[in-house]
Amino acid sequence: MVLILKLGGDVIEQAHSSLISDLKRAASKERVVIVHGGGDEVTQIAEKLGKSQTFVVSSEGIRSRYTDAETIEIYTMVMCGKTNKKVVSSLQKGGVSAIGLSGVDGAIIRAVRKKKLIVADDRGRKRIVEGGYTGQIKSINKDLLLTLIQKGYVPVIAPVALGDEFEFLNVDADRAAAHIAGALGAKRLILLTDVAGVYLEGKLVSKMTVHEAKSVMKKVGFGMEKKLLACVEALTMGVNRAIISSGMVQNPVTRATKEERCTVVSNE
Ligand code: ADP
Ligand code: MG
């Protein structure tokens, strides 16, 4: 069995101290592939370099970084460099055979550059902007990941994809994790974040069908809308359960696996 685990930026920065040992336990029972985020750190470093960051909202209400030519360079440096290596070194310190990679390495994630983006302003007015360097995921190098996990390695993948012209492309980490889960035929996708799951009217929603997730997507705020989209994509690609859960609690992987206090998207 294979488990795909996505670690959000806050989970990397302020994880519960038990995360690594818990992950090690999980990796001793089944094959694990990790995908990480870390957008806040990209923003901080970009701004230190004097490159201010802007975000756009698509007509479907999905928020993303506007990734121009300078931004993709900084994004790649931070994600594939500092953030990826920080995750790998924490795992190695905890005795996990982690290997740091990105979607570029071994062409693990191939994507097509979005030429144009339809973005909406605060009033919902739509306009078309240059796509920049964001990508739509097209394929996953499943063989390479299977080779690594069969040998007992835990791949740690940064969300940078390889484009048609071999350019670097920014892809969302939740959605990258969903595609990897789909490609590897994983039964479960776990998105560890800084909240227990999806809240609606102040209450944690413990279960949702794909259909419900699609309709709730428009009601939740930024951050969560993309996780729901990723869950829907994962289920569409054959994953049985997509779990959004907190990484800030004791033994977060075990808890998510047991589906305690989290949101599960499934068709059961
Ligand atoms: P990550 O870095 O783990 O990907 P994000 O910040 O992108 O996390 O997304 C998680 C965030 O989504 C939460 O911290 C919360 O602020 C936000 N959010 C917006 N709407 C909701 C909602 N309805 N329920 C839970 N979280 C929500
Ligand atoms: Mg996010």
Side-chain angles (χ1 to χ4, degrees):
M1 284 226 293
V2 50
L3 168 67
I4 313 303
L5 190 64
K6 187 263 178 168
L7 307 177
D10 289 311
V11 179
I12 300 168
E13 296 299 328
Q14 312 151 35
H16 193 276
S17 57
S18 61
L19 171 70
I20 303 291
S21 57
D22 193 33
L23 225 153
K24 186 178 178 191
R25 204 173 311 130
S28 71
K29 292 188 199 141
E30 58 188 321
R31 313 293 189 194
V32 177
V33 176
I34 296 174
V35 179
H36 64 79
D40 288 347
E41 179 134 51
V42 172
T43 303
Q44 280 167 25
I45 293 176
E47 301 203 335
K48 275 190 201 162
L49 292 170
K51 175 72 186 167
S52 73
Q53 297 290 284
T54 52
F55 289 83
V56 292
V57 180
S58 75
S59 51
E60 287 89 41
I62 308 290
R63 183 178 186 261
S64 56
R65 177 184 310 274
Y66 186 70
T67 311
D68 62 11
E70 268 183 312
T71 296
I72 190 63
E73 296 204 338
I74 301 167
Y75 179 89
T76 304
M77 288 192 276
V78 177
M79 284 294 191
C80 302
K82 190 178 176 200
T83 308
N84 187 270
K85 300 318 150 197
K86 190 159 46 181
V87 177
V88 172
S89 91
S90 309
L91 288 162
Q92 284 284 350
K93 186 177 171 194
V96 179
S97 298
I99 173 167
L101 294 163
S102 75
V104 175
D105 301 288
I108 289 173
I109 307 172
R110 300 267 352 208
V112 171
R113 189 171 159 191
K114 297 177 190 166
K115 301 275 178 322
K116 301 276 180 219
L117 298 176
I118 302 170
V119 301
D121 65 16
D122 296 346
R123 294 184 200 157
R125 283 181 305 206
K126 291 175 188 168
R127 66 193 167 90
I128 295 174
V129 298
E130 283 300 310
Y133 293 83
T134 54
Q136 183 117 39
I137 298 174
K138 290 293 170 206
S139 65
I140 301 293
N141 185 346
K142 172 182 146 188
D143 287 348
L144 173 56
L145 292 174
L146 286 175
T147 304
L148 292 170
I149 61 180
Q150 278 157 6
K151 291 269 180 198
Y153 289 104
V154 174
V156 177
I157 301 166
V160 182
L162 192 61
D164 279 343
E165 285 154 25
F166 302 92
E167 71 279 43
F168 302 150
L169 296 174
N170 170 359
V171 289
D172 175 60
D174 294 313
R175 297 179 70 186
H179 277 79
I180 290 171
L184 294 182
K187 295 277 170 277
R188 261 177 299 125
L189 165 69
I190 297 177
L191 306 175
L192 288 186
T193 184
D194 58 347
V195 287
V198 181
Y199 285 85
L200 284 179
E201 286 152 16
K203 281 202 189 127
L204 180 65
V205 184
S206 57
K207 272 188 191 150
M208 275 187 217
T209 61
V210 168
H211 182 73
E212 285 164 343
K214 279 185 189 162
S215 68
V216 162
M217 222 183 293
K218 298 208 165 69
K219 295 185 203 151
V220 301
F222 295 134
M224 204 40 84
E225 92 292 16
K226 256 199 237 183
K227 293 192 195 301
L228 284 173
L229 175 61
C231 292
V232 168
E233 287 179 333
L235 264 77
T236 310
M237 292 181 280
V239 174
N240 288 352
R241 305 178 86 73
I243 299 155
I244 304 170
S245 184
S246 174
M248 321 308 234
V249 297
Q250 177 119 32
N251 296 328
V253 184
T254 305
R255 255 176 80 151
T257 310
K258 290 185 180 161
E259 303 185 358
E260 286 171 16
R261 234 188 114 61
C262 62
T263 300
V264 182
V265 183
S266 79
N267 277 325
E268 285 151 32

